[in-house]
Coordinates of all heavy atoms in Angstrom, one line a residue:
N1 N -3.1 -5.2 -17.2 CA -4.4 -4.9 -17.8 C -5.3 -4.3 -16.8 O -5.2 -4.6 -15.6 CB -4.8 -6.1 -18.7 CG -6.1 -6.8 -18.3 OD1 -6.8 -6.4 -17.4 ND2 -6.2 -8.0 -18.9
S2 N -6.3 -3.5 -17.3 CA -7.2 -2.8 -16.4 C -8.0 -3.8 -15.6 O -8.3 -3.5 -14.4 CB -8.1 -1.9 -17.2 OG -8.9 -1.2 -16.4
K3 N -8.5 -4.8 -16.2 CA -9.4 -5.7 -15.4 C -8.6 -6.4 -14.2 O -9.1 -6.6 -13.1 CB -10.0 -6.8 -16.2 CG -11.1 -6.3 -17.1 CD -11.8 -7.4 -17.9 CE -12.9 -6.8 -18.8 NZ -13.6 -7.9 -19.5
Q4 N -7.4 -6.8 -14.5 CA -6.5 -7.4 -13.5 C -6.2 -6.4 -12.4 O -6.2 -6.7 -11.2 CB -5.2 -7.9 -14.1 CG -5.4 -9.1 -15.0 CD -4.1 -9.5 -15.7 OE1 -3.3 -8.6 -16.0 NE2 -3.9 -10.7 -16.0
R5 N -6.0 -5.2 -12.8 CA -5.7 -4.1 -11.8 C -6.9 -3.9 -10.9 O -6.8 -3.8 -9.7 CB -5.3 -2.9 -12.5 CG -4.8 -1.7 -11.5 CD -4.2 -0.6 -12.3 NE -3.8 0.5 -11.5 CZ -2.7 0.6 -10.8 NH1 -1.8 -0.4 -10.9 NH2 -2.4 1.6 -10.1
Q6 N -8.1 -3.8 -11.5 CA -9.3 -3.7 -10.7 C -9.5 -4.8 -9.8 O -10.0 -4.6 -8.6 CB -10.5 -3.4 -11.6 CG -10.5 -2.1 -12.4 CD -10.5 -0.9 -11.5 OE1 -11.1 -0.9 -10.4 NE2 -9.7 0.1 -11.8
A7 N -9.3 -6.0 -10.2 CA -9.4 -7.2 -9.4 C -8.5 -7.2 -8.3 O -8.8 -7.5 -7.1 CB -9.3 -8.5 -10.2
K8 N -7.3 -6.8 -8.5 CA -6.2 -6.7 -7.4 C -6.7 -5.6 -6.4 O -6.5 -5.8 -5.2 CB -4.9 -6.3 -8.0 CG -3.7 -6.5 -7.1 CD -2.4 -6.3 -7.8 CE -2.0 -7.7 -8.3 NZ -0.6 -7.8 -8.7
K9 N -7.2 -4.5 -6.9 CA -7.6 -3.5 -5.9 C -8.8 -3.9 -5.1 O -8.8 -3.7 -3.8 CB -8.1 -2.2 -6.7 CG -6.9 -1.4 -7.3 CD -7.5 -0.2 -8.0 CE -6.4 0.7 -8.5 NZ -6.9 1.9 -9.1
A10 N -9.7 -4.7 -5.7 CA -10.9 -5.2 -5.0 C -10.4 -6.2 -3.9 O -10.9 -6.2 -2.8 CB -11.9 -5.8 -5.9
R11 N -9.5 -7.1 -4.3 CA -8.9 -8.1 -3.3 C -8.2 -7.4 -2.2 O -8.3 -7.8 -1.0 CB -8.0 -9.0 -4.1 CG -7.5 -10.2 -3.3 CD -8.5 -11.2 -3.1 NE -7.9 -12.3 -2.4 CZ -8.3 -12.9 -1.3 NH1 -9.4 -12.4 -0.8 NH2 -7.7 -13.8 -0.7
L12 N -7.4 -6.4 -2.5 CA -6.6 -5.7 -1.5 C -7.6 -5.1 -0.5 O -7.4 -5.2 0.8 CB -5.7 -4.6 -2.1 CG -4.8 -3.9 -1.2 CD1 -3.7 -4.8 -0.8 CD2 -4.2 -2.7 -1.9
T13 N -8.7 -4.5 -0.9 CA -9.7 -3.8 -0.1 C -10.3 -4.9 0.8 O -10.6 -4.7 2.0 CB -10.7 -3.1 -0.9 OG1 -10.0 -2.0 -1.6 CG2 -11.7 -2.4 0.0
S14 N -10.6 -6.0 0.2 CA -11.4 -7.1 1.0 C -10.4 -7.7 2.1 O -10.9 -8.1 3.1 CB -11.8 -8.2 0.0 OG -10.8 -9.0 -0.4
I15 N -9.1 -7.7 1.8 CA -8.2 -8.2 2.8 C -7.9 -7.2 3.9 O -7.9 -7.5 5.1 CB -6.9 -8.7 2.2 CG1 -7.2 -9.9 1.2 CG2 -5.8 -9.1 3.2 CD1 -6.0 -10.2 0.3
Y16 N -7.5 -6.1 3.5 CA -7.0 -5.0 4.5 C -7.9 -3.9 4.7 O -7.6 -3.0 5.6 CB -5.6 -4.5 3.9 CG -4.6 -5.6 3.8 CD1 -4.1 -5.9 2.5 CD2 -4.1 -6.2 4.8 CE1 -3.1 -6.9 2.3 CE2 -3.1 -7.3 4.7 CZ -2.7 -7.6 3.4 OH -1.8 -8.6 3.3
G17 N -9.0 -3.8 4.0 CA -9.9 -2.7 4.2 C -9.5 -1.4 3.4 O -8.3 -1.4 2.9
P18 N -10.3 -0.4 3.4 CA -9.9 0.8 2.7 C -9.2 1.8 3.5 O -9.6 2.9 3.8 CB -11.3 1.4 2.2 CG -12.2 1.0 3.3 CD -11.6 -0.4 3.8
Y19 N -8.1 1.4 4.1 CA -7.3 2.2 5.0 C -6.0 2.6 4.4 O -5.3 1.8 3.8 CB -7.0 1.4 6.3 CG -8.2 1.1 7.1 CD1 -8.9 0.0 6.9 CD2 -8.7 2.0 8.0 CE1 -10.1 -0.3 7.6 CE2 -9.9 1.8 8.7 CZ -10.6 0.6 8.6 OH -11.7 0.3 9.2
C20 N -5.6 3.8 4.6 CA -4.3 4.3 4.2 C -3.3 3.6 5.1 O -3.4 3.8 6.4 CB -4.2 5.8 4.3 SG -2.5 6.4 4.0
W21 N -2.4 2.9 4.6 CA -1.4 2.2 5.5 C -0.5 3.2 6.2 O 0.1 2.9 7.3 CB -0.6 1.1 4.7 CG 0.4 1.7 3.7 CD1 0.1 1.7 2.4 CD2 1.7 2.2 3.9 NE1 1.2 2.3 1.7 CE2 2.2 2.5 2.6 CE3 2.5 2.3 5.0 CZ2 3.4 3.1 2.5 CZ3 3.8 2.9 4.8 CH2 4.2 3.2 3.6
H22 N -0.3 4.4 5.7 CA 0.6 5.4 6.3 C -0.1 6.1 7.5 O 0.4 6.2 8.6 CB 1.1 6.3 5.3 CG 2.0 7.4 5.9 ND1 3.2 7.0 6.4 CD2 1.9 8.7 5.9 CE1 3.8 8.2 6.8 NE2 3.0 9.2 6.6
C23 N -1.3 6.7 7.2 CA -2.0 7.5 8.3 C -3.0 6.7 9.0 O -3.6 7.1 10.1 CB -2.6 8.7 7.7 SG -4.1 8.4 6.6
K24 N -3.4 5.4 8.6 CA -4.3 4.5 9.3 C -5.7 5.0 9.2 O -6.6 4.5 9.9 CB -3.9 4.3 10.7 CG -2.5 4.0 11.0 CD -2.0 2.7 10.5 CE -0.7 2.3 11.0 NZ 0.5 2.9 10.3
C25 N -6.1 6.0 8.4 CA -7.4 6.5 8.2 C -8.2 5.7 7.2 O -7.6 5.3 6.2 CB -7.4 8.0 7.9 SG -6.8 9.0 9.2
C26 N -9.5 5.6 7.3 CA -10.3 4.9 6.4 C -10.8 6.0 5.4 O -11.2 7.1 5.7 CB -11.5 4.3 7.2 SG -12.6 3.4 6.1
F27 N -10.8 5.6 4.1 CA -11.2 6.4 3.0 C -12.0 5.5 2.0 O -11.9 4.3 2.0 CB -10.1 7.0 2.3 CG -9.3 7.9 3.0 CD1 -8.2 7.5 3.8 CD2 -9.5 9.3 3.0 CE1 -7.4 8.4 4.5 CE2 -8.7 10.2 3.7 CZ -7.7 9.8 4.5
P28 N -12.9 6.2 1.2 CA -13.5 5.4 0.1 C -12.5 4.8 -0.8 O -11.5 5.6 -1.1 CB -14.4 6.5 -0.6 CG -14.6 7.6 0.4 CD -13.3 7.6 1.3
A29 N -12.6 3.6 -1.1 CA -11.5 3.0 -2.0 C -11.2 3.8 -3.2 O -10.1 3.8 -3.7 CB -11.9 1.5 -2.3
K30 N -12.2 4.4 -3.8 CA -12.1 5.2 -5.0 C -11.1 6.3 -4.9 O -10.5 6.9 -5.8 CB -13.4 5.6 -5.6 CG -14.1 6.6 -4.8 CD -15.4 7.1 -5.4 CE -16.1 8.1 -4.6 NZ -15.4 9.3 -4.3
D31 N -10.9 6.8 -3.6 CA -10.0 7.9 -3.3 C -8.6 7.5 -2.9 O -7.8 8.4 -2.6 CB -10.6 8.7 -2.1 CG -11.9 9.4 -2.5 OD1 -12.3 9.5 -3.7 OD2 -12.7 9.7 -1.5
L32 N -8.4 6.2 -2.9 CA -7.0 5.7 -2.5 C -6.2 5.3 -3.7 O -6.7 5.0 -4.8 CB -7.2 4.5 -1.6 CG -7.8 4.8 -0.3 CD1 -8.2 3.6 0.5 CD2 -6.9 5.7 0.6
T33 N -4.9 5.3 -3.6 CA -4.0 5.0 -4.6 C -3.1 3.8 -4.2 O -2.7 3.7 -3.0 CB -3.0 6.2 -4.9 OG1 -3.8 7.3 -5.3 CG2 -2.0 5.9 -6.0
L34 N -2.9 2.8 -5.1 CA -2.1 1.7 -4.7 C -0.6 2.2 -4.6 O -0.1 3.0 -5.3 CB -2.1 0.7 -5.9 CG -3.3 -0.2 -5.9 CD1 -3.2 -1.2 -7.1 CD2 -3.4 -1.1 -4.7
D35 N 0.1 1.6 -3.6 CA 1.4 1.9 -3.3 C 2.2 0.6 -2.9 O 1.6 -0.3 -2.3 CB 1.6 2.9 -2.2 CG 3.0 3.3 -2.0 OD1 3.6 3.9 -2.9 OD2 3.5 3.1 -0.8
H36 N 3.4 0.5 -3.3 CA 4.3 -0.6 -3.0 C 4.9 -0.3 -1.5 O 5.5 0.7 -1.4 CB 5.4 -0.9 -3.9 CG 4.9 -1.3 -5.3 ND1 4.5 -0.5 -6.3 CD2 4.8 -2.6 -5.7 CE1 4.1 -1.2 -7.3 NE2 4.3 -2.5 -7.0
L37 N 4.7 -1.3 -0.6 CA 5.3 -1.1 0.7 C 6.8 -1.1 0.6 O 7.5 -0.3 1.1 CB 4.8 -2.2 1.7 CG 3.3 -2.2 1.9 CD1 2.9 -3.4 2.7 CD2 2.9 -0.9 2.7
I38 N 7.3 -2.2 -0.1 CA 8.8 -2.2 -0.4 C 8.8 -1.8 -1.9 O 8.3 -2.5 -2.7 CB 9.3 -3.6 -0.2 CG1 9.2 -4.0 1.3 CG2 10.8 -3.6 -0.6 CD1 9.6 -5.4 1.6
P39 N 9.4 -0.6 -2.2 CA 9.4 -0.1 -3.5 C 10.1 -1.1 -4.5 O 11.0 -1.9 -4.1 CB 10.3 1.1 -3.4 CG 10.2 1.5 -2.0 CD 10.1 0.3 -1.2
Q40 N 9.6 -1.1 -5.7 CA 10.2 -2.0 -6.7 C 11.6 -1.8 -6.9 O 12.4 -2.7 -7.2 CB 9.4 -1.9 -8.1 CG 8.0 -2.4 -8.0 CD 7.2 -2.2 -9.2 OE1 7.1 -1.1 -9.8 NE2 6.7 -3.3 -9.7
S41 N 12.1 -0.6 -6.8 CA 13.4 -0.2 -6.9 C 14.3 -0.9 -5.8 O 15.5 -1.0 -5.9 CB 13.7 1.3 -6.8 OG 13.3 1.8 -5.6
K42 N 13.6 -1.3 -4.7 CA 14.3 -2.0 -3.6 C 14.1 -3.5 -3.6 O 14.3 -4.2 -2.6 CB 13.9 -1.4 -2.2 CG 14.1 0.1 -2.1 CD 15.6 0.3 -1.8 CE 15.7 1.8 -1.5 NZ 17.1 2.3 -1.7
G43 N 13.5 -4.0 -4.7 CA 13.2 -5.4 -4.8 C 11.8 -5.9 -4.5 O 11.5 -7.0 -4.5
G44 N 10.9 -4.9 -4.3 CA 9.5 -5.2 -3.9 C 8.8 -5.7 -5.1 O 9.1 -5.4 -6.3
S45 N 7.8 -6.6 -4.9 CA 7.0 -7.2 -5.9 C 5.6 -6.5 -6.1 O 5.3 -5.7 -5.3 CB 6.8 -8.7 -5.7 OG 5.9 -8.9 -4.6
D46 N 4.8 -7.0 -7.1 CA 3.4 -6.5 -7.2 C 2.5 -7.4 -6.5 O 1.3 -7.4 -6.8 CB 3.1 -6.6 -8.8 CG 3.7 -5.4 -9.4 OD1 3.9 -4.3 -8.8 OD2 4.0 -5.5 -10.6
S47 N 2.9 -8.3 -5.6 CA 2.0 -9.2 -4.9 C 1.2 -8.4 -3.9 O 1.6 -7.3 -3.5 CB 2.8 -10.3 -4.1 OG 3.5 -9.7 -3.0
L48 N 0.0 -8.9 -3.5 CA -0.9 -8.3 -2.6 C -0.2 -8.0 -1.3 O -0.5 -7.0 -0.6 CB -2.1 -9.1 -2.4 CG -3.1 -9.1 -3.6 CD1 -4.3 -10.0 -3.3 CD2 -3.6 -7.7 -3.8
D49 N 0.7 -8.9 -0.9 CA 1.5 -8.7 0.4 C 2.3 -7.4 0.4 O 2.6 -7.0 1.4 CB 2.3 -9.9 0.7 CG 1.6 -11.1 1.1 OD1 0.4 -11.0 1.4 OD2 2.2 -12.2 1.0
N50 N 2.6 -7.0 -0.8 CA 3.5 -5.8 -0.9 C 2.8 -4.6 -1.3 O 3.4 -3.6 -1.6 CB 4.7 -6.1 -1.8 CG 5.8 -5.1 -1.8 OD1 6.1 -4.6 -0.7 ND2 6.2 -4.6 -2.9
L51 N 1.5 -4.7 -1.4 CA 0.7 -3.5 -1.9 C -0.1 -2.9 -0.7 O -0.5 -3.7 0.2 CB -0.2 -3.8 -3.0 CG 0.5 -4.2 -4.3 CD1 -0.6 -4.7 -5.3 CD2 1.3 -3.0 -4.9
G52 N -0.3 -1.7 -0.7 CA -1.1 -1.0 0.3 C -1.7 0.2 -0.3 O -1.4 0.7 -1.4
W53 N -2.7 0.8 0.4 CA -3.4 2.0 0.0 C -2.7 3.2 0.6 O -2.3 3.2 1.7 CB -4.8 2.0 0.4 CG -5.7 1.0 -0.2 CD1 -6.4 -0.1 0.4 CD2 -6.1 0.9 -1.6 NE1 -7.1 -0.8 -0.5 CE2 -6.9 -0.2 -1.8 CE3 -5.8 1.7 -2.7 CZ2 -7.5 -0.6 -3.0 CZ3 -6.3 1.3 -3.9 CH2 -7.2 0.2 -4.0
L54 N -2.7 4.3 -0.2 CA -2.3 5.5 0.3 C -3.3 6.6 -0.1 O -3.9 6.5 -1.2 CB -0.9 6.0 -0.3 CG 0.4 5.4 0.4 CD1 1.6 6.0 -0.4 CD2 0.5 5.8 1.8
V55 N -3.5 7.6 0.7 CA -4.3 8.7 0.3 C -3.6 9.5 -0.7 O -2.3 9.6 -0.7 CB -4.7 9.6 1.5 CG1 -5.7 8.8 2.4 CG2 -3.6 10.1 2.3
P56 N -4.3 10.1 -1.7 CA -3.6 10.9 -2.7 C -2.6 11.9 -2.3 O -1.5 12.0 -2.9 CB -4.7 11.5 -3.5 CG -5.9 10.6 -3.2 CD -5.7 10.1 -1.8
N57 N -2.8 12.6 -1.2 CA -1.8 13.6 -0.8 C -0.6 13.0 -0.2 O 0.4 13.7 0.0 CB -2.5 14.7 0.1 CG -2.8 14.0 1.5 OD1 -2.9 12.8 1.6 ND2 -3.2 14.9 2.4
A58 N -0.6 11.7 0.0 CA 0.7 11.1 0.5 C 1.4 10.4 -0.6 O 2.3 9.7 -0.4 CB 0.3 10.0 1.5
T59 N 1.0 10.6 -1.9 CA 1.7 9.9 -3.0 C 2.5 10.8 -3.9 O 3.0 10.4 -4.9 CB 0.7 9.1 -3.9 OG1 -0.3 10.1 -4.4 CG2 -0.1 8.1 -3.1
S60 N 2.7 12.1 -3.5 CA 3.6 12.9 -4.3 C 5.0 12.5 -4.0 O 5.3 11.9 -3.0 CB 3.4 14.4 -3.8 OG 4.0 14.6 -2.6
P61 N 5.9 12.7 -4.9 CA 7.3 12.2 -4.7 C 7.9 12.7 -3.3 O 8.6 11.9 -2.7 CB 8.1 12.8 -5.9 CG 7.0 13.0 -6.9 CD 5.7 13.3 -6.2
V62 N 7.6 13.9 -3.0 CA 8.1 14.4 -1.7 C 7.6 13.7 -0.5 O 8.2 13.3 0.4 CB 7.9 16.0 -1.6 CG1 8.3 16.5 -0.2 CG2 8.6 16.7 -2.6
E63 N 6.2 13.5 -0.5 CA 5.5 12.8 0.6 C 5.9 11.3 0.6 O 6.3 10.8 1.7 CB 4.0 12.9 0.4 CG 3.5 14.2 0.8 CD 3.6 14.6 2.2 OE1 3.5 13.7 3.1 OE2 3.8 15.7 2.6
T64 N 6.0 10.7 -0.5 CA 6.3 9.3 -0.5 C 7.8 9.1 -0.1 O 8.0 8.1 0.6 CB 6.1 8.7 -2.0 OG1 4.8 8.9 -2.3 CG2 6.4 7.2 -2.0
A65 N 8.7 10.0 -0.4 CA 10.0 9.9 0.0 C 10.2 10.0 1.5 O 11.1 9.5 2.1 CB 10.9 10.9 -0.7
S66 N 9.3 10.7 2.1 CA 9.3 10.9 3.5 C 8.8 9.8 4.3 O 9.0 9.7 5.6 CB 8.5 12.2 3.9 OG 7.1 12.0 3.8
I67 N 8.2 8.8 3.7 CA 7.7 7.6 4.4 C 8.9 6.6 4.4 O 9.3 6.1 3.4 CB 6.5 7.0 3.7 CG1 5.4 8.0 3.6 CG2 6.1 5.7 4.5 CD1 4.2 7.6 2.7
H68 N 9.5 6.5 5.5 CA 10.8 5.7 5.7 C 10.6 4.3 5.3 O 9.5 3.7 5.6 CB 11.3 5.8 7.1 CG 11.6 7.2 7.5 ND1 12.7 7.9 6.9 CD2 11.0 8.1 8.4 CE1 12.8 9.1 7.5 NE2 11.8 9.3 8.3
L69 N 11.6 3.7 4.7 CA 11.6 2.3 4.3 C 11.4 1.4 5.6 O 10.7 0.4 5.5 CB 12.9 1.9 3.6 CG 13.0 0.5 3.1 CD1 11.8 0.2 2.1 CD2 14.3 0.2 2.4
R70 N 11.9 1.8 6.7 CA 11.8 1.1 8.0 C 10.3 0.9 8.3 O 9.8 -0.1 8.7 CB 12.5 1.8 9.1 CG 12.4 1.1 10.4 CD 13.1 1.9 11.5 NE 12.4 3.1 11.8 CZ 13.0 4.3 11.6 NH1 14.2 4.4 11.2 NH2 12.3 5.4 11.9
D71 N 9.5 2.0 8.1 CA 8.1 1.9 8.4 C 7.4 1.0 7.4 O 6.5 0.2 7.8 CB 7.4 3.3 8.3 CG 8.0 4.3 9.3 OD1 8.4 3.8 10.4 OD2 8.0 5.5 9.0
R72 N 7.8 1.0 6.2 CA 7.2 0.1 5.2 C 7.6 -1.3 5.5 O 6.7 -2.2 5.4 CB 7.8 0.5 3.8 CG 7.3 1.9 3.3 CD 8.1 2.2 2.0 NE 7.7 3.5 1.5 CZ 6.8 3.7 0.5 NH1 6.3 2.7 0.0 NH2 6.5 4.9 0.1
L73 N 8.8 -1.6 5.9 CA 9.2 -2.9 6.3 C 8.4 -3.4 7.5 O 8.1 -4.6 7.6 CB 10.7 -3.0 6.5 CG 11.6 -2.9 5.3 CD1 13.0 -2.7 5.7 CD2 11.4 -4.1 4.4
D74 N 8.2 -2.6 8.5 CA 7.4 -3.0 9.6 C 6.1 -3.5 9.2 O 5.6 -4.5 9.7 CB 7.3 -1.8 10.6 CG 8.6 -1.5 11.4 OD1 9.5 -2.3 11.4 OD2 8.6 -0.4 12.0
I75 N 5.4 -2.8 8.4 CA 4.1 -3.2 7.9 C 4.1 -4.5 7.1 O 3.4 -5.4 7.4 CB 3.4 -2.1 7.1 CG1 3.1 -0.9 7.9 CG2 2.2 -2.6 6.4 CD1 2.8 0.4 7.2
Y76 N 5.1 -4.6 6.2 CA 5.3 -5.8 5.4 C 5.5 -7.0 6.4 O 4.9 -8.0 6.2 CB 6.5 -5.6 4.5 CG 6.7 -6.7 3.6 CD1 6.0 -6.8 2.4 CD2 7.6 -7.7 3.8 CE1 6.1 -7.9 1.5 CE2 7.8 -8.8 3.0 CZ 7.1 -8.8 1.8 OH 7.3 -9.9 0.9
N77 N 6.4 -6.8 7.4 CA 6.7 -7.9 8.3 C 5.5 -8.3 9.1 O 5.3 -9.5 9.4 CB 7.9 -7.6 9.1 CG 9.2 -7.6 8.3 OD1 9.4 -8.3 7.3 ND2 10.1 -6.7 8.8
R78 N 4.7 -7.3 9.6 CA 3.5 -7.7 10.4 C 2.6 -8.5 9.5 O 1.9 -9.4 10.1 CB 2.8 -6.4 10.8 CG 3.4 -5.9 12.1 CD 2.7 -4.7 12.6 NE 3.3 -3.5 12.0 CZ 2.7 -2.4 11.8 NH1 1.5 -2.2 12.1 NH2 3.4 -1.4 11.2
R79 N 2.5 -8.3 8.2 CA 1.6 -9.1 7.4 C 2.0 -10.5 7.3 O 1.3 -11.4 7.0 CB 1.5 -8.4 6.0 CG 0.7 -7.1 5.9 CD 0.7 -6.6 4.6 NE -0.2 -5.4 4.5 CZ -0.4 -4.8 3.4 NH1 0.0 -5.3 2.2 NH2 -1.2 -3.7 3.4
H80 N 3.3 -10.7 7.5 CA 3.9 -12.1 7.3 C 4.1 -12.9 8.6 O 4.6 -13.9 8.5 CB 5.2 -12.0 6.5 CG 5.0 -11.6 5.1 ND1 4.9 -10.3 4.6 CD2 4.7 -12.4 4.0 CE1 4.7 -10.3 3.3 NE2 4.6 -11.6 2.9
K81 N 3.6 -12.3 9.7 CA 3.7 -13.0 10.9 C 2.6 -14.0 11.0 O 1.5 -13.8 10.6 CB 3.7 -12.1 12.2 CG 5.0 -11.4 12.4 CD 4.8 -10.6 13.7 CE 6.2 -10.0 14.0 NZ 6.1 -9.2 15.2
G82 N 2.9 -15.2 11.6 CA 1.8 -16.2 11.9 C 1.6 -17.0 10.7 O 1.0 -17.7 10.2

């Protein structure tokens, strides 16, 4: 539902900031798109630990496919250290 999605976006921003996890640049949260670090097709969940922000030009199918799963796993694993 829309309210749950907005709450999840706000929580993600409060935890990780409004940074694109791929390019590491800061953007206004309204300009970012939610993305799964580990794609759902690879067993990824909708938990906050598995979500990150991407800038819109990095979310086209061609761009998203170019972001290697290894890079996504590195970010996911760094979040789970400690």
Side-chain angles (χ1 to χ4, degrees):
N1 111 13
S2 181
K3 285 185 181 184
Q4 288 174 331
R5 186 170 177 83
Q6 290 301 321
K8 191 172 272 192
K9 286 180 173 184
R11 182 79 175 125
L12 187 70
T13 301
S14 72
I15 295 170
Y16 301 114
Y19 296 91
C20 172
W21 66 264
H22 181 62
C23 72
K24 315 288 189 282
C25 293
C26 183
F27 293 89
K30 67 179 180 57
D31 294 340
L32 295 166
T33 301
L34 280 177
D35 184 60
H36 291 85
L37 296 173
I38 299 175
Q40 290 178 309
S41 63
K42 303 282 186 200
S45 71
D46 283 332
S47 71
L48 288 174
D49 288 343
N50 190 46
L51 293 174
W53 292 117
L54 276 180
V55 291
N57 66 348
T59 59
S60 72
V62 171
E63 286 292 324
T64 302
S66 72
I67 302 169
H68 298 290
L69 183 58
R70 181 183 64 242
D71 297 332
R72 294 169 180 264
L73 287 171
D74 287 345
I75 293 167
Y76 184 84
N77 289 331
R78 275 184 272 154
R79 288 183 177 183
H80 287 90
K81 282 187 176 179

